């Protein structure tokens, strides 16, 4: 079985905006922990960030502050330059689950909807209120979806 989370198959269908790419790789001059927090907050809806600042700091602050800004720039450049694999998705024959938060901005949920059209008999679950980090926002809901999928046709 195949599980895809917040996936996209082509940078050309719903590409990240230039502003978003710049936001990912722009060093703001803030101290490392604040810079890391700024980046992580892009992965969640604003209201969730506002209500979960302590949790975000606990989960992400130390690991994210150790990533050099140049590495973030390289990742953003790779995202921008990727040509995708949409044409190959019809070759997937494994039962496939696609999950995506409806508030994800990188990539938007339209990408998973598109992938579902390419993979025969795939299952798509859009999680309401979820950003790119929906597995941190709604871990129980996400786990239930995955476990239910894995139980089917074992």
């Amino acid at each position: 079985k195949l599980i895809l989370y917040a996936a996209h198959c082509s940078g050309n269908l719903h590409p990240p905006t230039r502003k978003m790419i710049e936001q990912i790789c722009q060093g703001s001059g803030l101290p490392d922990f604040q810079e890391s927090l700024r980046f992580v907050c892009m992965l969640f809806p604003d209201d969730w960030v506002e209500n979960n600042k302590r949790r975000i700091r606990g989960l992400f602050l130390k690991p994210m502050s150790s990533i050099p800004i140049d590495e973030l720039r390289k990742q953003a450049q790779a995202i921008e330059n990727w040509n995708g694999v949409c044409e190959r998705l019809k070759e997937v024959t494994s039962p496939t689950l696609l999950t995506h938060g409806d508030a994800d901005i990188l990539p938007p949920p339209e990408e998973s909807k598109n992938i579902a059209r390419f993979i025969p008999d795939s299952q798509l679950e859009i999680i309401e209120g979820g950003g790119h980090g929906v597995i941190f926002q709604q871990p129980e809901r996400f786990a239930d979806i995955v476990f239910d999928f894995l139980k089917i046709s074992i």
Side-chain angles (χ1 to χ4, degrees):
K1 293 190 177 198
L2 176 63
I3 299 172
L4 300 173
Y5 165 73
H8 61 109
C9 67
S10 172
N12 298 323
L13 295 176
H14 300 95
T17 63
R18 168 54 69 187
K19 181 180 178 185
M20 191 178 303
I21 294 292
E22 288 172 359
Q23 201 173 0
I24 290 171
C25 61
Q26 164 192 348
S28 64
L30 294 170
D32 285 347
F33 73 100
Q34 289 178 331
E35 180 64 28
S36 301
L37 193 58
R38 181 194 66 81
F39 176 75
V40 168
C41 289
M42 292 176 54
L43 306 177
F44 301 98
D46 291 340
D47 60 333
W48 193 85
V49 169
E50 189 60 36
N51 294 321
N52 292 277
K53 287 181 180 177
R54 182 175 296 199
R55 185 165 183 219
I56 290 169
R57 282 188 181 100
L59 285 171
F60 299 105
L61 188 59
K62 188 172 182 176
M64 289 300 296
S65 64
S66 65
I67 301 173
I69 192 68
D70 287 343
E71 296 304 316
L72 291 176
R73 287 187 181 115
K74 288 176 188 176
Q75 182 177 4
Q77 186 178 22
I79 291 168
E80 188 175 35
N81 294 332
W82 186 55
N83 292 323
V85 294
C86 291
E87 67 282 351
R88 297 192 59 207
L89 291 174
K90 63 182 177 276
E91 299 171 24
V92 175
T93 58
S94 299
T96 303
L97 168 67
L98 296 108
T99 62
H100 215 114
D102 69 347
D104 195 346
I105 60 170
L106 184 64
E110 288 75 24
E111 286 289 341
S112 285
K113 292 174 185 175
N114 186 58
I115 292 172
R117 288 195 302 267
F118 283 103
I119 300 176
D121 301 317
S122 59
Q123 176 184 334
L124 173 62
E125 294 285 342
I126 303 293
I127 302 171
E128 187 176 338
H132 195 68
V134 71
I135 61 173
F136 299 102
Q137 291 174 263
Q138 301 179 37
E140 294 86 7
R141 174 79 178 115
F142 185 82
D144 287 345
I145 290 168
V146 170
F147 288 137
D148 287 345
F149 173 72
L150 293 174
K151 284 184 219 173
I152 300 170
S153 66
I154 292 181

